[in-house]
Amino acid sequence: MKEIVEKYRNILRDSGVFEDVAEDKYQNVLYCLHAKTVSFQQGEVLQTQGELTKRAGIVLAGQMEEYLYDEDGNQLTIERLGSGNIFGVEILCAAQLPSQIYLCASSDCEALLLDFGMLLSEKTLGCIYRMQVSANLMKKFARQVNFLSTRIRILSQKKLRNRLKIYLQTQDISPDGEIILAVNREKMAEILGVDRSALSRELCRMREEGILTVSRNKITLLRRNFLDV
């Protein structure tokens, strides 16, 4: 465990799992959670929809992708997970919970597998960091549920403009109506489940209609009531 901590200390710290846990105690927590590193090849499927969730941990290198299929068989990306991101945190809440999404390695990647179920076991009662790690994971899970709920709401809309409206509702808006996007146009299109050209056309139409203006990653709302529910 010491070697894992020494090699991936920054990733472990930034993942959120070890928030408020002293760094010199990381290896104690990893021992309790039966930590082990594992490599996955690009294209390898870690879990499928309907399968009991059994793999959880932290992405150390490379990238994983969570996705599902629509009724027409089109793949819809839910989220891309990079270094420091957590996957499978729902195991903490329900060990027999079937997965609602697919998870695969979108590149060769390395992960730290953790047995989150041990946090509910009597075997870890002596771990003084058990409650803190559980609380950290619950916060992560709450954010994940909120994120997935928004993504499902977006993807359930048939019209691109409605998808864009919901997405913009989740962004920080300045008093003068400015929204600074944290993603580029390609990533934004991926979030909305459309291709980039379709998104660009829709933004052009909205600009011509006087709804907003676009300048690189900045959107300025000219009609604030556009985002009204």
Side-chain angles (χ1 to χ4, degrees):
M1 299 304 171
K2 182 178 180 180
E3 294 78 10
I4 294 176
V5 173
E6 290 179 348
K7 185 175 182 179
Y8 300 109
R9 184 183 304 275
N10 292 339
I11 295 176
L12 298 179
R13 182 180 61 241
D14 296 339
S15 71
V17 174
F18 299 90
E19 184 178 349
D20 293 327
V21 175
E23 291 189 13
D24 62 350
K25 302 301 181 182
Y26 282 8
Q27 59 183 334
N28 298 62
V29 175
L30 294 179
Y31 178 80
C32 288
L33 298 182
H34 299 166
K36 65 177 180 179
T37 57
V38 62
S39 298
F40 299 104
Q41 294 184 336
Q42 182 177 3
E44 186 172 348
V45 177
L46 282 66
Q47 69 182 38
T48 61
Q49 188 176 27
E51 179 184 22
L52 294 180
T53 304
K54 55 188 178 183
R55 278 178 169 157
I58 302 171
V59 181
L60 298 174
Q63 193 172 72
M64 296 182 183
E65 182 177 7
E66 294 178 338
Y67 61 91
L68 49 78
Y69 293 100
D70 64 16
E71 61 273 16
D72 297 318
N74 300 310
Q75 181 176 315
L76 299 174
T77 298
I78 301 299
E79 186 176 14
R80 295 187 187 277
L81 306 174
S83 176
N85 289 144
I86 303 172
F87 60 94
V89 68
E90 61 271 21
I91 287 179
L92 178 62
C93 301
Q96 298 300 311
L97 183 70
S99 173
Q100 299 302 305
I101 58 177
Y102 292 83
L103 175 66
C104 80
S106 51
S107 71
D108 290 346
C109 61
E110 188 172 9
L112 179 68
L113 294 187
L114 300 170
D115 185 357
F116 291 150
M118 289 302 297
L119 294 170
L120 305 178
S121 171
E122 292 184 359
K123 295 180 181 179
T124 59
L125 287 176
C127 179
I128 62 175
Y129 299 103
R130 172 183 176 177
M131 293 303 297
Q132 183 60 54
V133 174
S134 296
N136 293 340
L137 290 174
M138 289 301 292
K139 286 192 290 186
K140 284 286 185 180
F141 184 56
R143 295 191 191 103
Q144 182 182 47
V145 169
N146 183 63
F147 171 80
L148 292 177
S149 296
T150 300
R151 290 287 283 127
I152 291 172
R153 187 177 168 215
I154 288 173
L155 297 176
S156 67
Q157 304 300 313
K158 295 185 180 300
K159 295 181 179 179
L160 173 53
R161 184 165 299 194
N162 288 337
R163 293 188 180 193
L164 182 57
K165 174 181 177 180
I166 293 172
Y167 176 71
L168 293 179
Q169 287 173 343
T170 67
Q171 305 301 300
D172 292 329
I173 306 175
S174 70
D176 56 359
E178 286 189 357
I179 299 173
I180 305 299
L181 301 173
V183 298
N184 58 27
R185 189 72 58 85
E186 183 176 354
K187 177 63 177 178
M188 186 177 175
E190 181 181 295
I191 292 173
L192 298 177
V194 298
D195 59 54
R196 180 174 176 175
S197 59
L199 174 58
S200 295
R201 287 194 299 270
E202 185 61 33
L203 288 172
C204 286
R205 281 193 288 266
M206 294 173 71
R207 182 185 61 201
E208 293 169 356
E209 295 172 22
I211 297 175
L212 51 75
T213 61
V214 182
S215 177
R216 295 188 177 181
N217 69 326
K218 182 177 75 174
I219 291 179
T220 302
L221 294 172
L222 303 178
R223 285 167 40 189
R224 296 293 294 271
N225 62 349
F226 169 70
L227 297 185
D228 292 345
V229 178

